[in-house]
Amino acid sequence: MTRVLTIEDDEVTAREIIAELEQHGIEVDWVDNGRDGLVKAIGPGYDAITLDRMLPGVDGLAIVTTMRQVGVETPVLMISALSDIDERVRGLRAGGDDYMTKPFAPDEMAARVEVLLRRSRGGAVPLTELRVADLELDLMTRNARRSGRDLELLPTEFRLLEFMMRNSGQVLTRMMIFEAVWGFHFDPGTNLIDVHIGRLRKKVDPAGVTPLIRTVRGSGYRLGDA
């Protein structure tokens, strides 16, 4: 059975996570502090981890940083009340694989955990470079290339493309994109996503190449070559 470790000091939130993941057939262990969480996180036996950003004892950033330093590649979904973009970037650079803010919809949390599980089973993605077909994204130098050609991306375009590449092949809802890229956990009712997707398409999918960014009607967007 798939096993997930939940490191969360708020009991109400932890029980929401446990109840939702158990409905998906996932066994969940819960730890309510950072010190015990770190011990379990660097040990064997877990397929994924949900990790609170702010914990007593040892905070979430320290936990995921230590995991990566000692070579533990268990996928991590960071969950936090801190919703600003700098915190998201900090969490992902520390080694987190995804980041969502509180309050969150339990079913979306479970969907994100399942994305991490599928990606992990398909082979770990290098922490410093993402690749989808002939599209490359270097997370250290912040450079993007398609078919050997450099892409000039604005900061928001880079974050949007990074999120789509980390979840390639998956349908990403507008809500998921708003939360991951802009820090909103609600739909502001604007065409913000459509405008940025349109600009990104012009750079990633110019004439003469196979389109990678696809619109899934009524659902959202997907990045992939099939």
Side-chain angles (χ1 to χ4, degrees), residues 138-207:
D138 191 314
L139 304 179
M140 299 298 292
T141 64
R142 313 296 284 178
N143 291 329
R145 295 171 64 85
R146 175 90 198 263
S147 300
R149 180 177 60 87
D150 289 334
L151 308 180
E152 297 295 329
L153 301 181
L154 297 174
T156 301
E157 294 168 347
F158 189 96
R159 292 195 301 269
L160 176 57
L161 184 58
E162 178 182 352
F163 178 62
M164 297 184 78
M165 291 182 72
R166 284 183 180 275
N167 297 281
S168 63
Q170 307 300 318
V171 176
L172 303 176
T173 67
R174 292 173 63 86
M175 192 65 256
M176 291 171 72
I177 295 172
F178 271 129
E179 183 172 307
V181 180
W182 281 274
F184 302 155
H185 51 268
F186 62 93
D187 188 335
T190 71
N191 66 344
L192 189 63
I193 288 178
D194 306 306
V195 169
H196 279 81
I197 287 286
R199 291 174 178 169
L200 192 59
R201 268 198 174 113
K202 290 179 181 179
K203 298 178 180 182
V204 172
D205 295 335

Side-chain angles (χ1 to χ4, degrees), residues 36 38 41 44 79 96 151 208 216:
D36 292 340
L38 176 58
I79 301 176
L151 308 180
V216 181

Side-chain angles (χ1 to χ4, degrees), residues 5 7 36-44 46 49 63 67 72 74:
L5 172 64
I7 309 174
D36 292 340
L38 176 58
V39 171
K40 285 185 172 291
I42 63 176
Y46 294 106
I49 295 171
I63 290 175
M67 287 174 58
V72 176
T74 308

Side-chain angles (χ1 to χ4, degrees), residues 1-2 17-27 106-111 113-114 117:
M1 176 180 282
T2 300
I17 293 172
I18 293 168
E20 184 66 28
L21 293 180
E22 286 182 343
Q23 287 185 24
H24 290 253
I26 296 173
E27 180 181 340
D107 58 343
E108 183 174 340
M109 176 277 304
V113 169
E114 290 187 336
L117 290 169

